[in-house]
Amino acid sequence: MAKSKNGNIWIEREMILSNAFHELNGRAKNVLFLFLYRRQWSKAGRKGKWYTTNDGEIVFPYKVAKKKFNIPQSSFARAIDKLIEYGFIDIAHLGGGLIGDCTRYYISNRWKNYKTDRFIHKKRPKDKRGFGFTSKNWEEKTGR
């Protein structure tokens, strides 16, 4: 369950055996593993219990997915949507790539309740900040 200093990733057996995990497609599974790899861990207390130190602060830009892992932007976006839909990640802060503000993610445990009455359904929130072109501002932004 922890990323050690030698670069290993530990994943809960319960996650791999879950219905949510088995319904993910290959690309979404690959992206999930890359998110899990980005977790940072520390030990605390006398018993040395592990805890995540960067949950809610995990950054995985589209640019990195494309450049380092050759994942097209549209495929990466669909994988993120699936990971949110099935309960593996959540968005802590919706960024705006054009302004250098990266989206930050949580690793979620919602997947544990997938396909039960207790499952909390989520989707990627819509960006309502008005960046980019919209039907209301395209003339102003393009000068046409």
Side-chain angles (χ1 to χ4, degrees):
M1 233 179 98
K3 177 182 170 189
S4 71
K5 292 183 184 203
N6 66 8
N8 293 333
I9 302 172
W10 283 267
I11 302 165
E12 298 171 38
R13 289 180 187 186
E14 183 183 3
M15 179 187 285
I16 293 172
L17 297 174
S18 71
N19 289 328
F21 185 81
H22 285 279
E23 288 192 21
L24 287 177
N25 66 24
R27 176 77 73 187
K29 284 180 183 175
N30 291 344
V31 172
L32 172 61
F33 292 142
L34 293 170
F35 268 101
L36 294 175
Y37 178 76
R38 292 177 173 286
R39 289 187 293 186
Q40 297 172 2
W41 295 86
S42 286
K43 272 188 178 180
R46 285 190 264 173
K47 294 185 179 182
K49 185 173 179 170
W50 288 94
Y51 70 96
T52 307
T53 60
N54 67 332
D55 216 10
E57 297 295 324
I58 298 171
V59 174
F60 194 173
Y62 283 71
K63 187 183 202 178
V64 172
K66 175 64 178 159
K67 187 174 182 180
K68 193 169 181 181
F69 303 106
N70 201 30
I71 302 172
Q73 182 175 341
S74 59
S75 297
F76 190 61
R78 281 192 301 274
I80 288 173
D81 287 343
K82 286 293 177 192
L83 293 175
I84 293 169
E85 179 184 343
Y86 288 43
F88 291 101
I89 64 172
D90 287 321
I91 293 177
H93 168 75
L94 186 61
L98 294 176
I99 58 171
D101 178 27
C102 293
T103 298
R104 294 188 302 272
Y105 301 90
Y106 283 102
I107 302 297
S108 174
N109 285 329
R110 289 185 303 109
W111 58 267
K112 291 181 178 184
N113 292 319
Y114 184 71
K115 287 197 170 178
T116 71
D117 294 341
R118 296 183 318 247
F119 184 69
I120 300 168
H121 295 273
K122 289 188 179 181
K123 290 187 176 187
R124 182 196 311 249
K126 298 282 185 202
D127 190 347
K128 298 180 181 176
R129 295 174 294 183
F131 299 128
F133 295 104
T134 66
S135 60
K136 296 179 181 176
N137 74 6
W138 74 271
E139 289 177 329
E140 175 187 333
K141 291 195 176 198
T142 61
R144 295 182 186 169

